[in-house]
Amino acid sequence: MNILVINAGSSSLKYQLIDMDNEALLAKGLVERIGFTGFDSDNFSQKVGDKKVSLHKELKNHKEAFELVIKELTDPEMGAIKDMSSIGAVGHRVLHGGADFTQSVLIADDVLKAIEDNIPLGPLHNPANLTGILACREIMPDVPMVAVFDTAFHQTMPRRAYLYGIDYKYYETLKIRRYGFHGTSHRFVSAEVAKMLGRNDLKMVICHLGNGSSMSAVVNGKCIDTSMGLTPLEGLLMGTRSGDLDPAVIGFVAEREGKSASEMITMLNKSSGFIGLSGGLSNDWRDIIAAAKAGDERGKRTAEVWSYRIRKYIGAYAAAMNGLDVVVFTAGIGENSSDARRLALEDTQWLGIELDEKRNAANETVISTDNSKVKVLVVPTNEELAIARDTLEIVSALK
Ligand code: AMP
């Protein structure tokens, strides 16, 4: 069965078409600037094997974007399939499932309602995800669709990990708690490791280090803690997000600079992290580490704070799990930067972690020494494939 995987943003739509008979990627594309007019650059791109299409097309809404996607996917020359009937199901990435979803679900009206109800928790993404689902439904009304939530994997966290130390009424009335994100990636990677090592009884720390970054503690395949919270702002230092900080900083700066609460949150989301701490140098790890290696103070301090926090989380999660078998690195930085991994694992020998410098430099899968008590792995994430697998499983059970 061919499964279309959709990740809809407020003005964008990312997609992959995957043949699930052999988990082969048939097509991959991106539509941008949905709802915009008067721009010059191309806003549609698609790759089918070696065939690449790039187009400029003004699109009023997500429905028009989907129509374009289907047209290009079925293009006789540059497309991947003959017609729409060869799409067996659609899997949609949805950011926030709140406490309503512990796993992926077949999309029906009650699911749409629940995604809508969770908009206050994911105000930027959930409306876009919903728009994407509704537009897709209009174009393919008879094709089964599945929602895969970024938060679902973390729903196994115990209360001690998800409750904040604030008045309990906020949990009861406003659902304020830690939810965690990147769940599809954490789940995919932890399952890959279990398969690779042939064991289901592992205590793992997963480090998903990309532009957005998060870590999770996974025991026997279940998440018991994760670094992101109510929103994806908590935890590690990221490209533009601050991660953990004393909430009093918000009031302190807001009062002195006359900023509103929402301006402060925007500052913490958009101009903090790498870009903020480096004094505007870059939000991209490659620039930060290159500057640090060249002795640039801005790059050095940013890399130092970034890697130190990861190390603290590894220690904290080892304590939370009462042990540690595996540390896994994934996503853009985790998969590609041996410098990042080396810095993050500095002074962790006491935990039983022994990094093999050569294996690490070569981006091998196992980067710990043969004697290391804790195995350190580099495992590429594949959220789209995880979404397609869930979709296949749910849709297959319908028959
Ligand atoms: P992601 O959000 O997973 O796409 O990851 C984006 C981050 O990965 C950016 O900070 C990039 O600098 C970093 N990244 C991507 N490729 C590499 C690479 N080859 N070496 C170092 N960092 C990389």
Side-chain angles (χ1 to χ4, degrees), residues 208-212 239 274 283-287 289 330-334 336-338 381:
H208 175 112
L209 309 176
N211 194 27
F274 292 169
N283 65 354
D284 192 300
W285 171 255
R286 282 167 287 206
D287 300 328
I289 192 64
T330 193
I333 304 174
N336 297 299
S337 175
S338 54
T381 191

Side-chain angles (χ1 to χ4, degrees), residues 29-48:
L30 171 66
V31 193
E32 291 174 292
R33 297 177 193 255
I34 302 169
F36 285 69
T37 52
F39 54 89
D40 297 325
S41 51
D42 285 355
N43 62 324
F44 173 88
S45 59
Q46 177 175 279
K47 204 165 160 239
V48 176

Side-chain angles (χ1 to χ4, degrees), residues 67-256:
E67 282 165 348
L68 177 64
V69 169
I70 298 298
K71 181 170 170 283
E72 295 303 323
L73 277 175
T74 55
D75 185 88
E77 214 180 302
M78 303 302 276
I81 47 174
K82 217 163 105 234
D83 55 49
M84 216 163 74
S85 67
S86 58
I87 298 174
V90 182
H92 291 271
R93 181 184 186 194
V94 181
L95 180 87
H96 219 306
D100 296 320
F101 298 101
T102 56
Q103 56 195 13
S104 305
V105 286
L106 188 72
I107 296 178
D109 289 346
D110 58 328
V111 174
L112 294 178
K113 166 88 173 50
I115 296 172
E116 195 175 352
D117 289 346
N118 282 310
I119 285 178
L121 298 173
L124 298 180
H125 295 84
N126 273 34
N129 301 150
L130 205 53
T131 307
I133 295 170
L134 294 173
C136 194
R137 254 190 167 187
E138 269 194 71
I139 311 275
M140 303 183 225
D142 301 322
V143 177
M145 299 195 191
V146 168
V148 179
F149 299 91
D150 247 33
T151 48
F153 181 60
H154 304 304
Q155 278 296 307
T156 47
M157 276 195 286
R159 171 172 81 180
R160 63 176 183 240
Y162 71 68
L163 281 181
Y164 288 118
I166 57 174
D167 194 326
Y168 193 65
K169 74 175 181 199
Y170 292 118
Y171 170 64
E172 291 178 306
T173 56
L174 298 176
K175 301 183 185 168
I176 304 288
R177 50 159 283 182
R178 306 182 62 256
Y179 290 97
F181 297 87
H182 294 141
T184 312
S185 174
H186 287 280
R187 179 163 58 103
F188 178 84
V189 169
S190 54
E192 286 292 297
V193 171
K195 220 186 322 169
M196 232 181 252
L197 302 182
R199 282 178 59 182
N200 291 317
D201 60 339
L202 293 165
K203 292 174 176 172
M204 294 186 215
V205 170
I206 315 281
C207 310
H208 175 112
L209 309 176
N211 194 27
S213 296
S214 63
M215 289 171 62
S216 63
V218 177
V219 178
N220 305 339
K222 292 210 164 25
C223 176
I224 63 132
D225 206 346
T226 193
S227 60
M228 285 177 165
L230 176 75
T231 77
L233 180 55
E234 193 178 339
L236 305 179
L237 200 72
M238 309 176 215
T240 61
R241 290 174 235 164
S242 64
D244 297 336
L245 95 164
D246 181 344
V249 170
I250 297 175
F252 195 95
V253 175
E255 265 174 35
R256 278 157 187 79

